[in-house]
Amino acid sequence: MTSQIRRAAVSVPSNIAEGAARRSAKEFLQFLYIALGSLSEIETQIEIAKLLGYTIVIDSALDENVQIRRMLLKLIENIKNKI
């Protein structure tokens, strides 16, 4: 489970960076949505870990995930408004 969370956590900034390097805003949006999917995957994995009693620092991890989601959604909204 730890490796799945780590993989998804690396995927978020990686997809943002790759999308930013693309030529069009539409392509960038596609990668931002992929990053958003990775955030959802992280949230799901954390919730599963919580249910299984695997970790203690769940609440702070979920709070950080929510903050990143808000920033990403705001970025998506701004790019959509430019298209």
Side-chain angles (χ1 to χ4, degrees):
M1 185 169 282
T2 302
S3 64
Q4 289 175 309
I5 293 171
R6 285 183 181 154
R7 182 191 51 76
V10 168
S11 178
V12 174
S14 297
N15 277 297
I16 293 169
E18 186 173 350
R22 297 297 173 136
R23 292 185 185 263
S24 73
K26 281 187 171 186
E27 284 181 293
F28 189 19
L29 277 175
Q30 179 181 356
F31 281 90
L32 292 177
Y33 281 116
I34 294 169
L36 196 58
S38 294
L39 280 175
S40 294
E41 184 178 348
I42 293 167
E43 184 177 351
T44 300
Q45 294 295 329
I46 291 171
E47 288 292 346
I48 291 169
K50 183 177 180 180
L51 289 172
L52 296 174
Y54 285 164
T55 185
I56 300 170
V57 293
I58 298 283
D59 292 333
S60 64
L62 286 174
D63 289 343
E64 287 181 35
N65 201 55
V66 167
Q67 290 174 356
I68 295 167
R69 179 183 306 281
R70 285 182 185 146
M71 289 187 287
L72 189 54
L73 287 170
K74 189 66 173 174
L75 179 58
I76 289 170
E77 181 181 322
N78 287 337
I79 292 174
K80 278 182 161 182
N81 288 336
K82 289 181 181 181
I83 295 178

